[in-house]
Amino acid sequence: MKNSYPSEVYINGEWRDQENATVSVFDRGFLFGDGIYDVIPLYDGIVFRLHDHLDRMQFGLNEVGIHYDVSQLNPIIDEAIARSPYSKSDAAVYIQVTRGTAPRAHAFPANTAPTVLLYVYPIDLSGFENKLATVIFSEDYRWHRCDIKSTSLMANVRANNEAKLQGANENLFVRNGLITEGTHTSVFFLKDQTLFTHPLDKHILPSITRKVVIEICREHGLFVEEVAIGINEIDDVEEAFLAGTTTQILAIGKLELEGKEFFLGEESGLVTKQIQAEFIKRTRFA
């Protein structure tokens, strides 16, 4: 169910079944990965933090010079949910806007209409608080604009696949000795009763779940610092967890680094559990 194709796809103003949802081979998203995307979760059919997601998408489009107003997506998202079988269940909305179709050339084409793709797909968002992740570490060889949620994800895909080959759930990037983020998650470390996470800059994605975690911490008197943890500080970590749209708040049980294993427990730590419980309150309204 998690990886199934959607039954229906919105593309450039039309609703099509997935077999006929196609774009030109000259679409710059296909040729160059020249586009911006986002994924928005639905909890029991209710959209979570819609404006935050769309604001982030607008930022990315503006940064790369794709002229598209994301406010146009609001009624399309509503219609996509209504047309899908997931209006009362957990799901996610996938949105992608590329620069459009043009003869292949590196420079931006003039007067090209963006290609807009949107669909809803099912995903199980329950039970994350009862799971543990294993993570590995890799050099952060990505570009220097990781704050843009670009469809060009080869580095992330390659690193995530390496994690899977090693039996891990996530691969955490290290840049200049500092842990930045995962291939599709933010990461938090508890040390000396303070949570640490990499500061917002061009080397990490402005994760919406990361933002929610920081809000929870500040509302409930938990110490949080937007300061990166060094790879040489792993020995001192008391708890750690991943944060992401579909990952949610996932405790890390084991870290693997240069042949050494660091175990953080067989269940979520006390601080992680508190954040998980507060996150569930924000996403489950029944």
Side-chain angles (χ1 to χ4, degrees):
M1 182 176 176
K2 181 178 178 180
N3 295 316
S4 61
Y5 288 111
S7 58
E8 194 174 39
V9 172
Y10 173 91
I11 184 162
N12 293 337
E14 298 180 2
W15 294 95
R16 304 180 189 175
D17 57 60
Q18 58 95 358
E19 292 89 352
N20 295 306
T22 59
V23 297
S24 168
V25 295
F26 298 108
D27 190 276
R28 289 177 64 92
F30 175 72
L31 292 174
F32 296 111
D34 187 2
I36 301 295
Y37 79 99
D38 215 304
V39 179
I40 308 173
L42 307 180
Y43 290 88
D44 301 317
I46 300 174
V47 182
F48 184 63
R49 304 296 284 250
L50 174 63
H51 295 301
D52 284 330
H53 283 276
L54 292 185
D55 285 349
R56 179 175 65 183
M57 188 167 201
Q58 189 69 69
F59 166 80
L61 292 165
N62 293 346
E63 288 295 291
V64 301
I66 295 177
H67 302 297
Y68 184 80
D69 182 354
V70 299
S71 66
Q72 301 173 71
L73 294 171
N74 282 288
I76 303 170
I77 291 169
D78 290 342
E79 185 175 0
I81 295 169
R83 294 171 72 106
S84 80
Y86 314 117
S87 60
K88 301 292 184 183
S89 59
D90 289 356
V93 181
Y94 180 81
I95 309 167
Q96 179 173 301
V97 179
T98 77
R99 201 173 303 278
T101 301
R104 190 184 187 281
H106 282 70
F108 297 168
N111 304 317
T112 300
T115 297
V116 181
L117 166 70
L118 188 151
Y119 60 82
V120 180
Y121 65 98
I123 185 168
D124 184 3
L125 295 170
S126 64
F128 65 88
E129 70 276 16
N130 301 316
K131 300 173 184 176
L132 289 175
T134 297
V135 303
I136 63 172
F137 296 87
S138 289
E139 177 187 355
D140 197 344
Y141 42 68
R142 301 172 300 167
W143 70 327
H144 291 278
R145 290 306 308 270
C146 299
D147 56 325
I148 297 172
K149 201 168 175 66
S150 165
T151 58
S152 305
L153 288 171
M154 180 56 73
N156 299 64
V157 168
R158 181 172 176 268
N160 189 263
N161 189 64
E162 182 61 30
K164 295 298 184 288
L165 291 175
Q166 295 189 37
N169 304 97
E170 179 60 299
N171 197 340
L172 300 181
F173 290 116
V174 180
R175 192 186 294 258
N176 299 324
L178 300 176
I179 301 166
T180 53
E181 61 182 348
T183 65
H184 63 293
T185 59
S186 298
V187 61
F188 288 78
F189 297 98
L190 183 70
K191 177 184 170 187
D192 299 327
Q193 292 306 301
T194 298
L195 277 171
F196 293 90
T197 192
H198 196 285
L200 286 180
D201 63 16
K202 293 180 179 179
H203 291 146
I204 72 165
L205 183 75
S207 160
I208 308 306
T209 312
R210 174 190 181 278
K211 180 179 180 179
V212 174
V213 169
I214 292 173
E215 289 174 2
I216 290 170
C217 290
R218 291 178 175 160
E219 289 173 17
H220 293 273
L222 299 172
F223 296 110
V224 59
E225 295 286 345
E226 295 183 71
V227 175
I229 284 285
I231 194 70
N232 59 351
E233 299 176 74
I234 290 298
D235 270 325
D236 302 322
V237 168
E238 300 152 17
E239 297 180 27
F241 60 85
L242 305 171
T245 294
T246 56
T247 303
Q248 301 166 98
I249 314 295
L250 179 60
I252 297 174
K254 183 171 69 172
L255 305 103
E256 298 180 356
L257 174 65
E258 296 175 347
K260 294 178 63 178
E261 295 182 342
F262 301 85
F263 292 91
L264 299 178
E266 297 182 355
E267 61 180 13
S268 300
L270 293 178
V271 173
T272 304
K273 283 182 177 179
Q274 184 177 352
I275 294 169
Q276 289 173 328
E278 291 299 326
F279 185 81
I280 290 170
K281 288 179 183 178
R282 283 164 164 76
T283 54
R284 300 295 180 182
F285 305 100

